[in-house]
Amino acid sequence: VLPPPPAVTSGAMPAGQIGTAYQFQITATNNPANFNAVGLPAGLFVNTTGGQIFGTPSVFGTFAVTLFASNPGGTGQSVMPLTILNIPPVLTSPYNAPGIAGQPFLYQITATNSPTSYGATDLPSGLSINTASGQISGVVPASGIWIANMSATNSAGTAAGAFAILIFPPPPVITGPSSASGTAGVDFGLQFLATNPGNWSASGLPPGLTMNSINGFISGIPSSAGTYTATVQTASNSGTASATIVFTILPPPPVITSALSAQGQDGVSFAYQMAASGSPSSYNATGLPAGLSVDPATGKISGTPSVPGTFNVILRATNGSGTGQATLVLTILPSQPVITSAGTAGGIVGTSFGYQIT
């Protein structure tokens, strides 16, 4: 004679939570010999001998679980709902959200445990949130700092936190000349400006010049003549701007280095070489006595003076930076005498004698 089949008498299955150990005892009448359960969520198992359901669920949701209890007389069963709750979200997105005024802004709220909705409050003007995706977007018209609040929600709860929206000014734009000139050995200064500047730097400057990293002022005393192509930069949190400038550094104005006194003679060929520093490109001389002239390319004064006397000659040497001058005291001596009178003369003893030397 077989016993009557078991009847499952277990109460409602309590809710569990994903990632948390779970246990439930199947009970039944008429001394069941074994147990079973069908439809359990992943991570849960059944002890077929003792009727314990145990394990750690790895998925969440509501599951229709069929409980079985059997003896030689048959099997009893009961369908029960089992709810496995999700874990509340944990925010994982960064707590600083940078952007640039007037440019598209994008920030993604992220969180663990599959949020179903997102929220954000205290956003600056121009920004809004997509509550389904958690994406904050828009254009903020002005720079500034805003402390906003974000949230992520699932069936188990809501995670909330504050984050900073940092809107920087637009990237810098440099305003400054594309070329500049100076003179070796002479103080030089040039101011660069920019909209929304940051720290300044420059490379390729002429030797002797430096740039102030705070205000963008280039200054110093250039030490070498030449042409230099430099790059100027200013970098802020919004970006970096650069500009190219060509420096032309001229040599210093010439300085006359030749002797400032000279002597010649009337009617005798004369030469004087003008010399100057600074690689002159041309020469000049004024106040020369008649018969002398200057070669503007070489600076050589030459000729045959035809007038004796002392002359103050102004010497000039010119290059791209200017003209240097000095006064040459030039003395032209008279010609040596030539006797033109007769080579012999006669007279009478005791008589007055006269002879004119010419």
Side-chain angles (χ1 to χ4, degrees), residues 73 133 198 294 303 329 343:
S133 67
V294 61
V329 178

Side-chain angles (χ1 to χ4, degrees), residues 5-276:
V8 176
T9 58
S10 305
M13 299 182 74
Q17 189 172 53
I18 186 173
T20 302
Y22 183 85
Q23 187 169 336
F24 177 76
Q25 179 66 53
I26 303 174
T27 60
T29 62
N30 302 322
N31 300 314
N34 55 64
F35 301 87
N36 203 356
V38 175
L40 291 172
L44 294 187
F45 308 93
V46 61
N47 181 337
T48 58
T49 301
Q52 295 92 10
I53 294 174
F54 64 95
T56 301
S58 58
V59 294
F60 63 91
T62 299
F63 305 87
V65 180
T66 304
L67 305 178
F68 297 93
S70 301
N71 67 14
T75 299
Q77 68 182 49
S78 176
V79 178
M80 291 188 180
L82 171 59
T83 299
I84 302 298
L85 301 175
N86 195 7
I87 299 175
V90 176
L91 292 170
T92 57
S93 45
Y95 288 91
N96 285 328
I100 296 175
Q103 296 188 9
F105 175 91
L106 193 64
Y107 176 78
Q108 180 64 54
I109 301 175
T110 58
T112 61
N113 304 319
S114 305
T116 55
S117 65
Y118 301 85
T121 59
D122 300 322
L123 297 174
S125 173
L127 298 186
S128 61
I129 183 172
N130 182 323
T131 57
S133 67
Q135 187 176 87
I136 297 172
S137 61
V139 175
V140 182
S143 60
I145 300 176
W146 290 265
I147 304 300
N149 296 293
M150 58 180 169
S151 62
T153 301
N154 65 13
S155 58
T158 297
F163 70 112
I165 297 176
L166 313 172
I167 304 299
F168 298 102
V173 176
I174 292 177
T175 57
S178 60
S179 63
S181 61
T183 301
V186 178
D187 279 332
F188 177 89
L190 179 64
Q191 179 67 60
F192 268 86
L193 300 174
T195 58
N196 308 311
N199 287 330
W200 290 88
S201 63
S203 60
L205 293 174
L209 298 187
T210 58
M211 170 170 264
N212 186 306
S213 62
I214 303 301
N215 60 24
F217 187 69
I218 295 175
S219 62
I221 299 176
S223 59
S224 299
T227 300
Y228 304 86
T229 300
T231 299
V232 173
Q233 287 188 333
T234 182
S236 69
N237 290 324
S238 304
T240 299
S242 62
T244 298
I245 178 171
V246 177
F247 289 88
T248 301
I249 303 301
L250 303 173
V255 175
I256 304 295
T257 57
S258 50
L260 297 181
S261 63
Q263 184 173 282
Q265 191 171 40
D266 181 20
V268 178
S269 178
F270 174 84
Y272 170 86
Q273 181 61 58
M274 197 186 315

